[in-house]
Amino acid sequence: MESLSVHWTPHIDRLAREGLKLTQHISAAPLCTPSRAAFMTGRYPIRSGMDLGNGGRIIFWTAASGGLPPNETTFATILQQQGYSTGLIGKWHLGVNCESRDDFCHHPNSHGFNYFYGMPFTLYSGCKPGTRIEFNGPMKPLLSFLTEMIGLGVLTLIALKYSKLLVVNGKFIVFCAIFGILFFITWYTWFQYSQYWNCILMRNHEITEQPMNIERTTFQILKEAHGFIERNKDDPFLLFVSLLHVHTPLITTKKFTGGSKHGTYGDSVEEMDYLVGSVVDYIDEAGLKNNTLIYFTSDHGGHIELAERNTQLGGWNGIYKGGKAVAGWEGGIRVPGIFRWPGVIAPDTVYDEPTSLMDIFPTVVHLGGGELPTDRIIDGRNLMPLLQNPALHSEHEFLFHHCGPHLHAARWHEKESGTVWKVHFITPVFSPEGAGGCYDSKPCPCDGDRVTYHNPPLLFDISTDPSESSPLQLHLKPQYMQAINRIKHAIEEHQRTIIPVPQQLSFMNNLWKPWLQPCCGTFPFCWCDKDINLTLES
């Protein structure tokens, strides 16, 4: 949270003053789907097939068949087994169905949450009326290309027929033309009306809004969070509040619009701060302050390339290079990490050693009295020892930074010296040069001709150079090559632990499938607003 001043976020700043702030808190991926998979399971997303696919790096449709596999264990599942009431309010983005419209194999209710209210998908431009729809997946260009090829094929057949170079059945040409037209209409309709397919709200398995009314979603989420706390305040509970702020498009309500000196993005951050403060205050006023661990974070860095008429919409990552989708540079993966637990965690404490979002899994399981699974590798580490005694070292010696199937970078915490070495093997080619992001491709790719492969790799001492501005000159000190070789050896060991699994983000798994489309009504006439009366009453 270094980039946010006290004037922006008084409630989040208060949370940090009353607890502990992690300054080198790292997400396992720079995009929401793989990062959330790692957060929920304590495992690098490549282990569950959630960051390895030829269909993209995130789930692109509510009606895709990919998602968090049923055989993965979440911290919510273990706490549910320990008698906790578990709830998720807000964004999920880890899939819904596998084979039918109502199997809910990837749904939060199937992954340990007793109660779910929110978006099974994610917020994107199609959800906000008046916003130009952008679709960054690989399917639209591919489908456009296929349509063009079909059209070119039909024109070629016509030319061959009338030039009498080849005998072509006229009915066959008509069939191909009709097929091409239907193919185009089908996929174009998918994208044009995607808000009906993706922008929905659910309460458990029931769709409550399709499409969602984005103007009231913010305070519905807040109301649901308050309600869950109220219903469960007398019993052990786990509540995951996954706000839609400050994901783009920014959905700031009128109350907070125009109030920040930092513009549109500042407005959204200030509203997010209000929402966080409201949830924390509700916990405190319910008498739960001293026996509740509160954790605040983000799933990845800001999307710095998103701007409109010189107005920044996707965030700012301060001194750190890169942003959303950039797996190696700190701007994509260094995220806030704040813990508060009065009487257990000392107030106004700062911890600078490497930690990970994956650490939440073993930490929560430990606090809930559960046991870690023994049939799989857990990459996270229990944070409670260092949260209670910040003088201790982080249990992470190495952290690995994947971009899809490619390992872009890795860091080594050399505990004897306290140095944190970071090696980059692959870096994206920023455009324009030196901009810190990929303003032409939005976002940066993982491979191909838009990345640079480094041999020897780039080496940084991020304990003294957190902005990664000055790569070390390897010939100056023998210890530099020793650090690189030590990291390379750790990578070899790490890669031997990764076994092939089904790719949840494959092209086929990430296609829109009408038989999997959640629908409030009779498909394809999907529309409802079941919470409008509740909203009016409140």
Side-chain angles (χ1 to χ4, degrees):
M1 297 302 297
E2 294 85 357
S3 63
L4 302 180
S5 71
V6 67
H7 303 292
W8 275 38
T9 56
H11 298 97
I12 296 172
D13 291 345
R14 185 193 74 191
L15 201 62
R17 287 195 304 271
E18 294 178 354
L20 179 144
K21 179 171 68 173
L22 303 171
T23 62
Q24 198 176 155
H25 201 41
I26 308 299
S27 66
L31 287 165
C32 36
T33 294
S35 177
R36 287 165 180 263
F39 171 71
M40 295 300 304
T41 64
R43 291 154 49 83
Y44 286 108
I46 198 171
R47 298 193 189 279
S48 57
M50 294 293 284
D51 194 18
L52 178 64
N54 54 17
R57 296 166 61 192
I58 62 170
I59 293 172
F60 285 122
W61 298 97
T62 306
S65 57
L68 189 62
N71 63 349
E72 286 292 328
T73 301
T74 70
F75 58 73
T77 296
I78 295 179
L79 260 65
Q80 187 182 58
Q81 294 167 350
Q82 294 300 114
Y84 279 70
S85 180
T86 55
L88 167 58
I89 311 295
K91 170 181 168 178
W92 175 239
H93 206 189
L94 291 175
V96 181
N97 298 311
C98 287
E99 297 179 355
S100 67
R101 189 169 294 154
D102 56 0
D103 65 33
F104 301 110
C105 69
H106 303 305
H107 190 278
N109 290 154
S110 300
H111 278 295
F113 290 102
N114 299 112
Y115 185 77
F116 168 65
Y117 177 85
M119 289 191 75
F121 189 57
T122 185
L123 194 64
Y124 82 112
S125 53
C127 298
K128 186 176 182 180
T131 303
R132 182 170 62 88
I133 296 178
E134 295 181 0
F135 198 89
N136 294 324
M139 275 78 78
K140 190 170 184 179
L142 176 60
L143 293 170
S144 297
F145 174 76
L146 291 175
T147 303
E148 292 170 2
M149 290 300 99
I150 294 171
L152 181 60
V154 171
L155 292 175
T156 302
L157 290 174
I158 293 173
L160 290 172
K161 177 179 175 62
Y162 286 99
S163 65
K164 299 182 179 180
L165 293 174
L166 184 69
V167 178
V168 182
N169 189 304
K171 292 182 179 179
F172 178 72
I173 296 177
V174 172
F175 170 81
C176 291
I178 293 174
F179 173 80
I181 293 170
L182 291 176
F183 179 73
F184 169 74
I185 291 174
T186 300
W187 73 256
Y188 184 80
T189 302
W190 292 344
F191 291 97
Q192 196 67 19
Y193 297 96
S194 58
Q195 71 268 30
Y196 286 91
W197 314 136
N198 288 332
C199 305
I200 65 177
L201 291 177
M202 299 182 77
R203 180 175 287 107
N204 295 321
H205 292 166
E206 180 186 17
I207 299 172
T208 60
E209 292 183 27
Q210 188 173 17
M212 59 195 282
N213 185 332
I214 204 167
E215 293 183 358
R216 66 182 191 226
T217 301
T218 295
F219 289 102
Q220 283 177 269
I221 287 175
L222 183 60
K223 179 182 175 183
E224 288 282 344
H226 289 172
F228 184 88
I229 296 168
E230 184 65 30
R231 294 192 302 272
N232 295 282
K233 63 183 180 181
D234 296 326
D235 299 297
F237 70 84
L238 166 76
L239 175 59
F240 176 16
V241 181
S242 181
L243 298 174
L244 302 184
H245 293 57
V246 288
H247 198 288
T248 54
L250 303 174
I251 58 169
T252 315
T253 61
K254 293 180 181 178
K255 179 180 178 181
F256 285 87
T257 299
S260 173
K261 65 179 182 180
H262 298 283
T264 306
Y265 185 77
D267 291 341
S268 189
V269 169
E270 290 185 3
E271 183 165 47
M272 175 194 67
D273 178 73
Y274 165 79
L275 298 172
V276 171
S278 181
V279 173
V280 172
D281 289 345
Y282 205 94
I283 289 172
D284 294 351
E285 292 165 6
L288 303 174
K289 181 175 183 177
N290 293 328
N291 64 345
T292 302
L293 172 66
I294 295 177
Y295 168 61
F296 173 81
T297 192
S298 176
D299 49 4
H300 53 70
H303 195 172
I304 59 173
E305 294 96 342
L306 282 189
E308 188 175 274
R309 294 190 293 274
N310 297 321
T311 298
Q312 189 65 26
L313 299 178
W316 179 61
N317 296 319
I319 65 171
Y320 305 117
K321 291 181 183 177
K324 181 176 181 177
V326 178
W329 298 115
E330 294 292 280
I333 55 178
R334 191 180 288 223
V335 295
I338 298 174
F339 289 85
R340 191 199 77 168
W341 191 355
V344 178
I345 298 174
D348 207 15
T349 306
V350 177
Y351 188 78
D352 296 322
E353 294 190 5
T355 55
S356 169
L357 259 67
M358 297 183 292
D359 297 338
I360 302 308
F361 179 92
T363 303
V364 168
V365 169
H366 167 77
L367 291 173
E371 296 183 359
L372 295 178
T374 58
D375 61 345
R376 65 200 64 195
I377 293 174
I378 302 297
D379 298 296
R381 302 291 183 265
N382 179 12
L383 290 175
M384 282 312 299
L386 65 84
L387 292 179
Q388 294 177 273
N389 182 7
L392 296 176
H393 284 302
S394 166
E395 289 190 33
H396 285 290
E397 184 177 8
F398 298 95
L399 285 171
F400 307 101
H401 310 304
H402 300 88
C403 189
H406 308 283
L407 193 143
H408 274 208
R411 76 185 67 209
W412 172 34
H413 180 210
E414 188 180 10
K415 296 179 182 179
E416 293 78 9
S417 65
T419 303
V420 180
W421 304 101
K422 188 173 174 192
V423 170
H424 288 263
F425 299 95
I426 305 173
T427 57
V429 177
F430 291 146
S431 178
E433 186 176 352
C438 301
Y439 286 81
D440 54 351
S441 59
K442 298 181 184 179
C444 293
C446 294
D447 55 14
D449 59 1
R450 295 300 310 279
V451 303
T452 301
Y453 298 86
H454 300 280
N455 187 18
L458 303 179
L459 177 68
F460 296 90
D461 174 2
I462 60 171
S463 46
T464 60
D465 181 20
S467 63
E468 301 171 284
S469 58
S470 302
L472 299 170
Q473 301 301 308
L474 303 182
H475 64 278
L476 294 180
K477 292 184 180 181
Q479 71 181 113
Y480 294 164
M481 282 307 302
Q482 292 171 2
I484 289 176
N485 291 333
R486 181 69 184 90
I487 292 173
K488 284 183 175 180
H489 178 70
I491 290 172
E492 291 174 0
E493 293 182 340
H494 166 66
Q495 290 177 332
R496 281 196 290 267
T497 69
I498 297 174
I499 60 175
V501 294
Q503 296 185 22
Q504 297 298 318
L505 304 181
S506 68
F507 180 79
M508 291 305 299
N509 280 341
N510 227 345
L511 280 178
W512 181 78
K513 301 177 178 66
W515 59 92
L516 299 184
Q517 178 62 54
C519 182
C520 188
T522 301
F523 184 83
F525 305 102
C526 304
W527 183 91
C528 67
D529 190 352
K530 298 180 181 179
D531 280 348
I532 187 169
N533 292 330
L534 296 176
T535 304
L536 292 174
E537 290 171 5
S538 62

